[in-house]
Amino acid sequence: MKKLVFCIVALVLLTLPAAAFDNHVNGKKVFEAEKCSMCHALSNLGIEATTKSDKLKGPDLVDVSKRYEGDWLAKYLKKEADKDGKSHTKPFKGSDEELQALVDWLLEQKSE
């Protein structure tokens, strides 16, 4: 009986996708969940800002690492820092882990 239970458990574990064991937060998924593309594009990935208003449209975030450091970006997204006297329009609502994943992912985005 123990062998049967072991075999069933082993079979179940082998059929689970690797993502089931991955506790890593995906920055792109955070970008999507936070609806960042409402205002921001990532032209290297073909992501366009969905807002129709030029007033609400933020900068394309490709090559953001050339302009800012990760620590500053995290503070800016949490509205703890400003740029030219203006804070980010919408405060980041996710966890610290999600924020770090988003910042890390944004810093990886490079123009071709």
Side-chain angles (χ1 to χ4, degrees), residues 36 43 53 73-74 76 82 85 102:
C36 301
S43 56
S53 169
L73 279 175
Y76 184 69
D82 63 64
L102 175 62

Side-chain angles (χ1 to χ4, degrees), residues 23-60:
N23 291 330
H24 179 73
V25 177
N26 183 309
K28 183 177 182 188
K29 291 195 184 295
V30 175
F31 184 86
E32 293 165 349
E34 289 286 321
K35 299 181 174 121
C36 301
S37 65
M38 286 181 69
C39 301
H40 297 282
L42 274 162
S43 56
N44 64 319
L45 300 176
I47 298 172
E48 297 298 324
T50 58
T51 184
K52 303 291 185 226
S53 169
D54 286 338
K55 186 176 179 181
L56 295 177
K57 199 172 281 189
D60 187 329

Side-chain angles (χ1 to χ4, degrees), residues 4-110:
L4 178 62
V5 171
F6 176 78
C7 289
I8 291 171
V9 169
L11 184 61
V12 168
L13 291 175
L14 288 173
T15 59
L16 287 174
F21 300 101
D22 186 8
N23 291 330
H24 179 73
V25 177
N26 183 309
K28 183 177 182 188
K29 291 195 184 295
V30 175
F31 184 86
E32 293 165 349
E34 289 286 321
K35 299 181 174 121
C36 301
S37 65
M38 286 181 69
C39 301
H40 297 282
L42 274 162
S43 56
N44 64 319
L45 300 176
I47 298 172
E48 297 298 324
T50 58
T51 184
K52 303 291 185 226
S53 169
D54 286 338
K55 186 176 179 181
L56 295 177
K57 199 172 281 189
D60 187 329
L61 297 176
V62 68
D63 291 327
V64 74
S65 64
K66 291 181 180 178
R67 300 184 300 265
Y68 305 105
E69 293 183 11
D71 291 341
W72 184 87
L73 279 175
K75 287 179 184 176
Y76 184 69
L77 291 172
K78 289 173 34 176
K79 296 188 101 164
E80 295 174 356
D82 63 64
K83 179 182 179 286
D84 302 326
K86 295 182 182 180
S87 62
H88 192 256
T89 307
K90 185 177 159 187
F92 184 82
K93 294 181 179 149
S95 69
D96 288 343
E97 183 182 13
E98 291 168 326
L99 177 61
Q100 190 61 54
L102 175 62
V103 168
D104 290 346
W105 180 74
L106 288 172
L107 293 174
E108 293 172 1
Q109 303 311 309
K110 309 283 188 230

